[in-house]
Amino acid sequence: MGLILKVNPDNPENDIIKRAADVIKKGGIVAFPTETFYGLGVLAFNMDALKRLYLLKKRAFSFPIAVIINKKSDVYDITKEIPEEAEKLMDRFWPGPLTLVFQARENIPAILTSGTNKIGIRVSANKVAKNLVQSVDSPITATSANISGKANPTNVNQIKNSFGKGINLILDGGKSSLDKASTVLDVTTKPFKILRQGVI
């Protein structure tokens, strides 16, 4: 198991966030709190890191992995088109636990989209997650820090019990404030399709 660092969930320490961001930039895996469950973060466009992430979670490569971005405007860099109604949803619910599934740009790794050419994106309302992706200055994954099919983790002890090794750094921000996952909405179809019922 990698290093565990306590982080203030209300006022994350800059040096701790930078340390975690450096791990991600170098291709490592970092567990961090979000507004829902703890997530596992790697550089969204690093093929080797993504492969390690899938293997660590024992996740089938046929299941795509969602990402978090720093701010709403970042969505335009990784998506093909954004419906007007989706713009309204972003304005209403971001930052927050709403993952929107868009058509991905051609340069997005197929391993991230599982060949669907679609990518799930959200802006996290959690200060640790938000500061982390801002420090990395690139989209990062936010898949739950669990073995696929197992319970979603709300605290660091659950992560430690799930993974003996493979995570380079864990940011301990205390217990999650919510006990549901983000709502996932596919905005590439009309009408929009709910893929996962969640907080919203």
Side-chain angles (χ1 to χ4, degrees):
M1 180 57 63
L3 182 66
I4 299 175
L5 295 177
K6 288 272 190 182
V7 61
N8 187 325
D10 299 315
N11 188 23
E13 297 86 349
N14 289 334
D15 59 329
I16 293 177
I17 294 297
K18 184 180 184 304
R19 188 168 179 177
D22 287 343
V23 170
I24 291 176
K25 289 177 183 178
K26 292 175 182 176
I29 299 175
V30 173
F32 61 95
T34 75
E35 69 271 41
T36 54
F37 302 113
Y38 272 76
L40 292 176
V42 304
L43 273 177
F45 309 138
N46 183 317
M47 296 287 288
D48 290 337
L50 287 168
K51 288 177 183 176
R52 284 182 56 218
L53 180 61
Y54 269 98
L55 294 174
L56 177 69
K57 281 178 58 72
K58 299 179 182 178
R59 184 181 179 92
F61 286 97
S62 57
F63 290 96
I65 288 180
V67 303
I68 58 173
I69 55 177
N70 178 35
K71 55 188 182 301
K72 176 191 168 185
S73 59
D74 293 341
V75 76
Y76 304 104
D77 297 329
I78 54 179
T79 59
K80 276 186 176 180
E81 61 177 325
I82 299 175
E84 181 180 349
E85 297 88 347
E87 290 270 9
K88 295 176 182 177
L89 289 171
M90 289 188 286
D91 290 337
R92 171 66 178 84
F93 293 107
W94 283 5
L98 176 64
T99 299
L100 297 177
V101 178
F102 298 94
Q103 288 289 345
R105 285 187 181 269
E106 291 82 355
N107 61 335
I108 302 302
I111 186 175
L112 189 65
T113 68
S114 295
T116 63
N117 297 318
K118 296 181 181 183
I119 185 168
I121 305 169
R122 86 175 193 263
V123 177
S124 178
N126 179 279
K127 291 182 179 179
V128 175
K130 186 166 178 57
N131 286 15
L132 180 60
V133 71
Q134 183 179 33
S135 185
V136 173
D137 195 27
S138 183
I140 64 174
T141 61
T143 182
S144 294
N146 63 341
I147 301 296
S148 287
K150 302 297 183 182
N152 291 312
T154 58
N155 60 67
V156 166
N157 283 335
Q158 292 172 328
I159 299 172
K160 289 164 60 179
N161 291 336
S162 294
F163 302 102
K165 57 182 179 179
I167 299 176
N168 300 101
L169 177 65
I170 297 175
L171 294 179
D172 184 355
K175 190 179 184 301
S176 299
S177 57
L178 299 174
D179 59 0
K180 278 188 177 182
S182 67
T183 297
V184 181
L185 184 69
D186 187 340
V187 300
T188 68
T189 64
K190 288 191 176 182
F192 294 166
K193 183 178 180 180
I194 296 174
L195 302 182
R196 180 176 71 195
Q197 293 278 0
V199 176
I200 297 174

